[in-house]
């Protein structure tokens, strides 16, 4: 599964979410969200370690109660990437790759993690997933980051706007005239690269789009994309939770 690489999975989880405070501990069908995410990750075999990274003792106590390994991190991290880098520095293990799975992904498909792991064979500095966009609402939603790639599947740019723009074609016909991709925010970093990323300062494009991965592109890092066939259903707000309940997934 890990293609002869030593890989750790890190699940960053913070309590003080602006849009949904206490989100990792919200009840999902009798289990806290963070537990459901952890169990999905544990369904994949071959990890060197699976760690929940948090700055909150409520999350720590809850996670340890269901048997997870927890590492406490600083409270001032602005991204899950930075939190993962701190965990890596504390572990002291000789690691090849770190996989970052956000704690608000209780429905992540274990198969997606296996898809991502295929990229370990390439020794790419950064790996992430993308998915073919099939509907107009997703195509034009500024809440869904899009990505354009080169012939090697490497990311050229990410944007909240719809990219590329199809000049001279009516928007209702865009999907039938081009293959668009949305970005799935699941990352794997080569361990040495993760430490380097944690030292980068916010970049102009990142600040403009509010997309962390643009910082890496602006600094010359290659992001290798892998196309997934699976949808994701992250929970960012209380409204997202209500939608999932109405879908009967809990």
């Amino acid at each position: 599964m890990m293609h002869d690489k030593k890989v750790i999975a890190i699940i960053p989880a913070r309590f003080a979410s602006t849009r949904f405070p206490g989100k990792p501990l919200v009840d999902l069908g009798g289990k806290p969200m963070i537990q459901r995410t952890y169990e999905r990750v544990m369904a994949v075999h071959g990890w060197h370690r699976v760690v929940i990274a948090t700055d909150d003792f409520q999350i720590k106590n809850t996670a340890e109660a269901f048997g997870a390994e927890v590492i406490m991190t600083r409270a001032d991290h602005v991204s899950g990437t930075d939190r993962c880098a701190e965990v890596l520095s504390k572990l002291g293990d000789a690691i090849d790759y770190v996989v970052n799975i956000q704690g608000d992904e209780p429905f992540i498909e274990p198969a997606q993690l296996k898809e991502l792991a295929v990229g370990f064979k390439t020794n790419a500095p950064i790996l992430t997933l993308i998915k073919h966009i099939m509907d107009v609402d997703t195509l034009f939603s500024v809440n869904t980051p899009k990505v354009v790639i080169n012939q090697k599947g490497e990311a050229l740019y990410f944007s909240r706007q719809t990219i590329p723009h199809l000049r001279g074609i009516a928007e209702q016909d865009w999907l039938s005239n081009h293959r668009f991709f949305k970005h799935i925010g699941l990352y794997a970093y080569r361990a040495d690269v993760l430490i380097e990323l944690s030292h980068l300062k916010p970049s102009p494009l990142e600040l403009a789009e509010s997309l962390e991965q643009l910082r890496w592109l602006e600094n010359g890092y290659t992001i290798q994309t892998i196309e997934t066939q699976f949808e994701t259903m992250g929970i960012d707000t209380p409204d997202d939770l209500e939608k999932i309940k109405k879908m009967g997934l809990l």
Side-chain angles (χ1 to χ4, degrees):
M1 158 63 199
M2 300 302 171
H3 305 283
D4 297 321
K5 303 291 186 181
K6 187 177 285 188
V7 184
I8 60 172
I10 301 178
I11 307 172
R14 63 191 186 99
F15 189 90
S17 168
T18 303
R19 291 183 291 177
F20 198 167
K23 179 170 56 175
L25 300 180
V26 69
D27 182 82
L28 297 183
K31 294 180 180 180
M33 183 187 300
I34 189 65
Q35 181 175 354
R36 289 195 174 273
T37 304
Y38 176 80
E39 289 174 350
R40 291 277 182 147
V41 176
M42 290 295 290
V44 176
H45 300 292
W47 302 113
H48 177 61
R49 292 167 80 166
V50 176
V51 176
I52 292 176
T54 187
D55 57 9
D56 183 83
F57 282 100
Q58 295 179 73
I59 296 174
K60 176 180 184 293
N61 294 336
T62 298
E64 288 180 340
F66 61 72
E69 178 182 3
V70 181
I71 291 181
M72 295 296 290
T73 59
R74 302 199 321 265
D76 60 348
H77 290 307
V78 296
S79 71
T81 300
D82 292 335
R83 205 174 298 278
C84 287
E86 183 184 350
V87 170
L88 179 62
S89 68
K90 287 182 173 181
L91 290 179
D93 295 350
I95 299 298
D96 294 307
Y97 274 96
V98 174
V99 178
N100 175 357
I101 306 106
Q102 294 300 320
D104 57 4
E105 293 283 353
F107 299 106
I108 188 172
E109 288 287 345
Q112 287 182 305
L113 296 169
K114 295 178 181 179
E115 289 174 331
L116 191 70
V118 172
F120 297 159
K121 295 183 292 185
T122 69
N123 208 37
I126 306 169
L127 299 158
T128 195
L129 296 182
I130 61 174
K131 189 174 189 307
H132 182 203
I133 295 174
M134 306 293 289
D135 65 280
V136 172
D137 288 344
T138 300
L139 182 64
F140 294 105
S141 171
V142 295
N143 295 318
T144 302
K146 309 355 173 259
V147 58
V148 287
I149 59 177
N150 64 17
Q151 294 294 323
K152 298 178 182 179
E154 298 164 344
L156 293 172
Y157 191 71
F158 297 84
S159 180
R160 296 186 182 279
Q161 294 294 333
T162 307
I163 52 174
H165 177 85
L166 301 191
R167 185 178 180 185
I169 299 177
E171 289 187 350
Q172 64 265 27
D173 296 325
W174 280 18
L175 284 178
S176 58
N177 281 274
H178 186 79
R179 204 161 187 259
F180 293 87
F181 293 99
K182 68 177 180 178
H183 179 223
I184 306 296
L186 177 66
Y187 295 108
Y189 325 89
R190 214 171 61 214
D192 60 318
V193 171
L194 175 57
I195 298 302
E196 294 175 3
L197 297 181
S198 69
H199 294 144
L200 299 177
K201 295 181 179 180
S203 65
L205 290 176
E206 173 194 8
L207 295 173
E209 295 258 19
S210 190
L211 294 174
E212 177 192 20
Q213 59 271 34
L214 291 175
R215 183 191 314 184
W216 312 335
L217 289 182
E218 282 190 85
N219 281 277
Y221 288 90
T222 299
I223 303 176
Q224 180 66 51
T225 69
I226 296 172
E227 186 175 352
T228 179
Q229 304 304 313
F230 299 94
E231 284 290 352
T232 58
M233 287 183 290
I235 301 176
D236 294 320
T237 67
D239 287 343
D240 292 337
L241 179 58
E242 290 306 312
K243 290 176 184 177
I244 285 173
K245 288 180 178 178
K246 290 178 181 178
M247 293 170 66
L249 296 176
L250 297 175

